[in-house]
Amino acid sequence: MSDPPTHYPSLIAVAERFASGGAIAAVEAFGSGNINDTFLATVEGTSHLPFVLQRINTRVFRRPQLVMKNMSIFTRHVRDRLQHSPLSRRWEVPRVLLTTEERDHWVEADGSVWRAISFIDGSESFDAMHDVDHATEVGYALGTFHNLISDLSPAQLADTLEGFHITPLYLQHYDRVVAKTAVNLSPEVRYGLEFVRDRASWCAVLETAKTQGKLPLRLMHGDPKVNNVMFDRATGKAVSMIDLDTVKPGLVHYDIGDCLRSGCNPIGEETEQWETVYFEPDLCEGILRGYLSVAQDFLTDSDYDYLFDAIRLIAFELGLRFFTDYLAGNVYFKVKHPDHNLLRALVQFQLTQSIEFQETAIRALIQDLR
Ligand code: NDG
């Protein structure tokens, strides 16, 4: 909920649990995640690569052991697959680093749960998209990620975050929060309440299709924001997808929607200028082109039929999640100030509206790319 605490047990001591040889030189806050606390640990000497050290948010991931188990299973699967049939270009899978006792996580005396992941050598990530080529690379990365896990049965991985991306459940939770909260009816809150009310009857669209067997349960990334795609600094090409906590059974539509809502908002999800947020159609075309260049092999006709709804829904759903968290007193997403989640919600609602205004063009684009 707050900035990375400074009262942690010595970060260096925690990092040393995972450092096989080589003393830790420094541990610094890293990235801008909304859930876990993330640090980059550098190791003394030139022969050791830095690694990512994370304190898992156990209020969100209540069974961190299962998160780590999932991660080990699917990263091993993908690595084996790449060994047998390598891709024609560089693609990396982050490694789970073990403690000196060969465990995939470490529990501190204060109960905090830590894990370490390899950093992709020579790579960088970006919070916003530069241009259409960049967008195409982001789409390629998500397609490659889906492709590489498409032959692993969803039953192999545990559901580490029940209800994640099940929009009707977020709506039920929102209704409960609204019912028990003395809501301060500012113009922004009033707008949010109306915005949700007007879309409530549509928000089960993907879950209904899933129940009717129109959309199959597959494995998904769960959080394919643009800054979770790593780019090779030298070639400028996408080389990996990181932030693998939410890889679990779900719909690929959640990922496609999430990638587009994050990638096609040039002003970014953290802007305070929410009225100026819009959904950029050329970036949308770039992402979809890159994605489908890999994913057209496994998508069905029915999958295509729900792409527009997925794009609209995941932006709306994230707005609903931020709005609910604001009303509930900021208990889920980390915030920098009390209105942070309200502003984030307004950004996503504005984006949803921009997607709705462009429905005909987006549907036509999907049809052309089919
Ligand atoms: C977090 C959320 C993700 C959301 C993102 C928005 C979890 C586990 O914040 O769903 O899209 O920036 O709730 N992750 O990463």
Side-chain angles (χ1 to χ4, degrees):
M1 293 238 332
S2 51
D3 279 335
T6 45
H7 59 266
Y8 278 156
S10 160
L11 285 168
I12 300 249
V14 178
E16 272 169 356
R17 298 276 168 195
F18 296 93
S20 50
I24 299 295
V27 181
E28 277 158 20
F30 187 61
S32 52
N34 289 339
I35 307 290
N36 298 319
D37 295 331
T38 305
F39 304 88
L40 189 68
T42 42
V43 186
E44 277 176 7
T46 46
S47 57
H48 294 282
L49 293 172
F51 63 88
V52 178
L53 179 70
Q54 287 184 303
R55 173 182 183 261
I56 304 180
N57 182 332
T58 48
R59 265 186 309 108
V60 172
F61 297 107
R62 292 183 183 273
R63 300 175 71 192
Q65 300 85 344
L66 280 188
V67 171
M68 298 314 295
K69 194 165 166 218
N70 274 2
M71 223 182 261
S72 298
I73 293 174
F74 79 83
T75 54
R76 198 177 319 120
H77 170 86
V78 174
R79 227 174 270 119
D80 286 353
R81 185 164 153 182
L82 286 173
Q83 210 167 16
H84 289 115
S85 32
L87 301 181
S88 54
R89 50 183 273 191
R90 181 182 180 205
W91 187 260
E92 306 276 347
V93 188
R95 277 178 190 280
V96 175
L97 305 183
L98 301 182
T99 63
T100 41
E101 296 90 5
E102 309 247 307
R103 306 221 30 213
D104 57 17
H105 65 283
W106 167 255
V107 184
E108 261 299 317
D110 65 357
S112 55
V113 181
W114 298 80
R115 58 105 186 279
I117 309 277
S118 64
F119 181 74
I120 309 295
D121 194 20
S123 73
E124 60 187 330
S125 67
F126 304 93
D127 283 335
M129 209 90 86
H130 313 319
D131 52 30
V132 175
D133 288 343
H134 187 186
T136 309
E137 281 299 301
V138 166
Y140 167 85
L142 183 61
T144 301
F145 185 88
H146 282 167
N147 183 30
L148 289 170
I149 47 172
S150 62
D151 58 341
L152 182 65
S153 156
Q156 297 281 312
L157 298 192
D159 189 350
T160 46
L161 199 52
E162 275 179 35
F164 190 50
H165 287 313
I166 312 289
T167 320
L169 292 183
Y170 290 117
L171 189 68
Q172 279 174 24
H173 177 53
Y174 163 83
D175 285 338
R176 282 195 299 272
V177 169
V178 170
K180 69 175 188 206
T181 309
V183 180
N184 160 24
L185 283 178
S186 65
E188 290 80 8
V189 169
R190 233 184 256 278
Y191 171 76
L193 292 169
E194 278 168 25
F195 199 89
V196 174
R197 188 201 58 207
D198 293 348
R199 287 154 186 82
S201 63
W202 151 83
C203 84
V205 58
L206 291 186
E207 293 317 302
T208 306
K210 188 167 82 180
T211 313
Q212 292 171 342
K214 293 181 181 162
L215 297 177
L217 197 67
R218 296 180 169 111
L219 289 176
M220 58 159 188
H221 180 281
D223 204 353
K225 298 200 271 194
V226 280
N227 58 10
N228 282 333
V229 178
M230 301 307 290
F231 283 79
D232 187 312
R233 281 179 192 273
T235 63
K237 296 285 185 193
V239 288
S240 187
M241 288 210 66
I242 58 162
D243 202 347
L244 308 174
D245 293 312
T246 45
V247 179
K248 68 180 197 83
L251 298 179
V252 290
H253 290 71
Y254 304 149
D255 278 354
I256 299 168
D258 207 23
C259 189
L260 287 157
R261 69 113 201 118
S262 134
C264 308
N265 166 7
I267 307 164
E269 63 184 76
E270 289 293 323
T271 181
E272 296 197 353
Q273 314 302 316
W274 62 272
E275 288 104 331
T276 60
V277 167
Y278 67 101
F279 185 82
E280 162 48 60
D282 293 341
L283 295 176
C284 172
E285 177 167 354
I287 294 187
L288 284 177
R289 232 178 241 294
Y291 180 74
L292 294 173
S293 72
V294 192
Q296 63 190 6
D297 292 346
F298 59 78
L299 290 187
T300 64
D301 281 348
S302 190
D303 284 326
Y304 281 93
D305 292 343
Y306 285 93
L307 285 185
F308 175 77
D309 278 312
I311 300 168
R312 178 182 172 208
L313 185 71
I314 300 299
F316 170 72
E317 178 196 274
L318 185 58
L320 174 67
R321 292 172 64 200
F322 283 140
F323 191 44
T324 308
D325 203 32
Y326 165 75
L327 296 172
N330 304 318
V331 292
Y332 184 93
F333 295 102
K334 292 197 274 180
V335 288
K336 295 204 166 84
H337 55 85
D339 288 345
H340 198 164
N341 277 322
L342 176 61
L343 279 168
R344 286 167 166 161
L346 295 170
V347 168
Q348 296 304 319
F349 289 158
Q350 190 73 11
L351 195 64
T352 308
Q353 204 164 49
S354 176
I355 294 167
E356 290 167 351
F357 285 150
Q358 299 180 71
E359 172 166 357
T360 310
I362 299 170
R363 283 192 188 276
L365 169 66
I366 294 167
Q367 195 56 33
D368 280 357
L369 294 174
R370 245 170 129 137

